[in-house]
Every structure is written in C-alpha cells, then in structure tokens.
C-alpha cells in the first residue's frame, strides 16, 4: 500500500510543464522533421507520444497482479488506438511512447509490422533506448528510437515496394504529442 501511495504521489507531482521541459518546442520540431524524413524511406507511419505521468485512473489499478510495467503498456496500447495509429492503409503504424515518471518506453506496432518484427526485437530496441532516457537525454533517446523503428520499417515496407504505390501518403501527423 505504501509503495502504491508513493507511486501515486510521484506521478501526481509531474504535469504538462515537466513534459514541455523534457521536450521543448525546438526538440518537437526536430523530432517531427526526423519522423517526416523517416517516412520518406518506407510506407509505415510513426507517432511519438510523451507523457509526464500516468493518469490516476491507471495508478489505482496498481496491485499484486498489475505492475507499473503492465500499466505503462496498457496506456501505450490505449494511446495507439486513440491516436489512430492502428488505422493506416497497410496496418504498418508504430507508436513510440515515453512515460517520464517511470522513464518507461513502449513501442506498439500494428499487426502488419508485427508479422515481420518480433516482440524480442522491439524489446531490444527499447532496452538500448533506456540508457539515454535514464540519463535524461530524451531527445537523443527519441532520435535513436526513430532511427531503429525506421530501420525495421524500411526493411519490411520500403517505399515503392510492389503492391504499394511509390511514396506513401502521410496518413498521420509527424509532430510528437505531449500528454
């Protein structure tokens, strides 16, 4: 119970201003440009969502059978749907989710991508990003995430591949979302 209370307080302490400090406007612009450049190499779609803390409605679920890691994953999956990342023409959208209070990273990919990229590959990517995030280097970690996701998408869904028209339409906004 004490651990749950500490977690709720830690998450309650952070707000949108913490997210804006971690990802200032110039970084937002740079990340959007990086996503746009990435999407010129493949037909996939990348979204980034950075959030200071989990909503209290998630934290109340914390208990003996539900860990913080589970809650962060649930939140990322919910945002994947809310941001319509699942709704791309070729089912090849990817959400990169960064949760600041826990310095947690989740990558959620649509079914088209998951036919080609294993859970273990996504876990290896998030593990390599964790070093930058744990050091507070959020821009570096997100750039690394974009580059790693780009590598996977370009291998599986290259621009101009048969059955896909040349350069894919930009189906989702390139700008990161701060929550």
């Amino acid at each position: 119970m004490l651990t749950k209370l500490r977690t709720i307080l830690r998450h309650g302490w952070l707000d949108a201003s913490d997210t804006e400090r971690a990802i200032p406007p110039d970084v937002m612009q740079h990340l959007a440009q990086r996503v746009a450049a990435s999407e010129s190499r493949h037909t996939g779609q990348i979204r980034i969502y950075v959030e200071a803390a989990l909503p209290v409605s998630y934290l109340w679920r914390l208990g003996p059978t539900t860990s913080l890691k589970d809650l962060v994953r649930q939140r990322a999956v919910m945002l994947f749907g809310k941001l319509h990342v699942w709704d791309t023409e070729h089912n090849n959208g990817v959400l990169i989710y960064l949760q600041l209070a826990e310095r947690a990273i989740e990558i959620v990919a649509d079914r088209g991508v998951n036919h080609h990229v294993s859970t273990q590959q996504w876990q290896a990517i998030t593990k390599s990003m964790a070093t930058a995030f744990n050091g507070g280097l959020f821009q570096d970690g997100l750039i690394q995430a974009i580059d790693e996701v780009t590598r996977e998408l370009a291998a599986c869904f290259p621009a101009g591949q048969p059955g896909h028209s040349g350069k894919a339409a930009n189906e989702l906004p390139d700008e990161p979302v701060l929550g």
Side-chain angles (χ1 to χ4, degrees), residues 54-61 71 75:
L54 289 170
V56 175
S57 61
Y58 280 78
L59 296 171
W60 284 120
R61 300 179 208 164
L71 295 176
R75 179 70 174 163

Side-chain angles (χ1 to χ4, degrees), residues 59-128:
L59 296 171
W60 284 120
R61 300 179 208 164
L62 189 60
T65 59
T66 308
S67 69
L68 270 171
K69 182 164 179 47
D70 295 333
L71 295 176
V72 169
R73 181 69 181 176
Q74 289 171 16
R75 179 70 174 163
V77 169
M78 188 281 300
L79 289 166
F80 179 83
K82 185 177 180 179
L83 296 171
H84 299 279
V85 181
W86 59 271
D87 196 23
T88 62
E89 181 180 357
H90 302 292
N91 299 312
N92 57 0
V94 176
L95 173 67
I96 301 168
Y97 174 72
L98 170 60
Q99 203 278 319
L100 298 175
E102 298 302 322
R103 304 270 169 110
I105 310 124
E106 286 290 336
I107 296 177
V108 182
D110 205 347
R111 62 190 172 274
V113 179
N114 284 333
H115 286 300
H116 300 282
V117 183
S118 71
T119 302
Q120 293 77 18
Q121 287 171 283
W122 292 129
Q123 288 171 345
I125 291 170
T126 59
K127 188 175 181 179
S128 70

